[in-house]
Amino acid sequence: AQSVTQLDSQVPVFEEAPVELRCNYSSSVSVYLFWYVQYPNQGLQLLLKYLSGSTLVKGINGFEAEFNKSQTSFHLRKPSVHISDTAEYFCAVMRGSGGSYIPTFGRGTSLIVHP
Amino acid sequence: DAGVTQSPTHLIKTRGQQVTLRCSPKSGHDTVSWYQQALGQGPQFIFQYYEEEERQRGNFPDRFSGHQFPNYSSELNVNALLLGDSALYLCASSLIQPNTEAFFGQGTRLTVV
């Protein structure tokens, strides 16, 4: 079975500053990795995903993430945040092949962008 | 494309009652998964339906049941509601192959009083 740990429950940051949201996973097999964003009272929207290939993945809204197999991490980054980026961010892992194709989610990181 | 739609958006039920939540998948998708998201937590997998059959199930009691219809839409039923069932219930649709991305609906906020 796989699991996900989001190391920070809350990340406060000022507008236009860079941000990194940390995610570590555990799995004994190859994995797919995802970052989702959830705005208040809404469902989850996919930001980006890693399936294979280049370890640097670019997503929507200027976000990117880097897959690091040796450190079993998939940290999310943005060079300059906006007020509108304030939301809950979820990292998820799914078995890469031959698995149940059910993603396991972390507990989430609340990104709070201050003016 | 309307995406994944869920109904109702909000619901208040009394402990012991039964509830049915509904989900229409994104056009072209054949697989529907249901998640429970308690306040301040990540989504927890309840079950997944494909070809009108329950394909996978998470660690939820039998009070939670579901159904998928020939048009791929789905229902989640919860019997004998407990206060702890209060949560946001999310529906996600995907393709069985390749199953590499799930699209989520806005969710149904269930409050049990």
Side-chain angles (χ1 to χ4, degrees):
Chain A
Q2 55 267 9
S3 65
V4 175
T5 301
Q6 292 186 241
L7 297 160
D8 306 293
S9 60
Q10 204 172 80
V11 174
V13 64
F14 287 105
E15 194 173 18
E16 297 184 7
V19 71
E20 178 180 82
L21 306 183
R22 297 180 294 169
C23 172
N24 285 90
Y25 69 92
S26 66
S27 177
S28 58
V29 297
S30 64
V31 295
Y32 298 150
L33 292 155
F34 307 82
W35 274 100
Y36 285 86
V37 61
Q38 185 177 36
Y39 298 102
N41 300 313
Q42 293 193 23
L44 277 68
Q45 180 184 7
L46 182 68
L47 277 176
L48 48 79
K49 60 183 177 183
Y50 170 79
L51 305 180
S52 64
S54 172
T55 57
L56 183 62
V57 180
K58 293 191 183 296
I60 63 172
N61 301 342
F63 284 93
E64 63 180 32
E66 186 156 18
F67 170 57
N68 188 319
K69 188 174 181 180
S70 62
Q71 297 187 7
T72 60
S73 67
F74 190 57
H75 301 333
L76 181 71
R77 302 185 182 99
K78 186 170 182 177
S80 175
V81 295
H82 302 288
I83 295 287
S84 59
D85 291 323
T86 295
E88 195 77 18
Y89 291 78
F90 293 94
C91 180
V93 62
M94 188 166 75
R95 186 168 174 168
S97 62
S100 63
Y101 301 103
I102 306 298
T104 299
F105 288 86
R107 295 185 63 171
T109 296
S110 179
L111 176 61
I112 302 169
V113 182
H114 298 287
Chain B
D1 183 3
V4 180
T5 57
Q6 293 186 242
S7 63
T9 55
H10 295 83
L11 203 52
I12 300 175
K13 288 287 189 178
T14 303
R15 192 171 43 183
Q17 285 188 314
Q18 179 263 344
V19 68
T20 297
L21 310 181
R22 295 177 176 82
C23 172
S24 292
K26 180 178 169 64
S27 178
H29 282 183
D30 55 13
T31 303
V32 173
S33 302
W34 286 92
Y35 293 81
Q36 180 194 66
Q37 186 180 15
L39 203 60
Q41 303 292 321
Q44 297 291 314
F45 173 70
I46 302 175
F47 42 55
Q48 183 182 77
Y49 276 84
Y50 170 67
E51 292 188 332
E52 303 179 50
E53 299 275 341
E54 184 182 288
R55 187 168 178 265
Q56 296 280 341
R57 188 178 183 93
N59 189 26
F60 278 79
D62 292 344
R63 297 187 298 108
F64 290 77
S65 63
H67 189 76
Q68 185 180 34
F69 299 94
N71 67 354
Y72 306 117
S73 66
S74 177
E75 289 181 349
L76 163 65
N77 300 291
V78 187
N79 294 322
L81 284 167
L82 303 174
L83 296 180
D85 294 331
S86 294
L88 180 68
Y89 288 85
L90 295 165
C91 169
S93 75
S94 57
L95 288 168
I96 198 67
Q97 284 293 343
N99 192 341
T100 57
E101 182 172 345
F103 289 79
F104 284 80
Q106 300 280 72
T108 294
R109 173 72 63 185
L110 173 65
T111 302
V112 182
V113 297

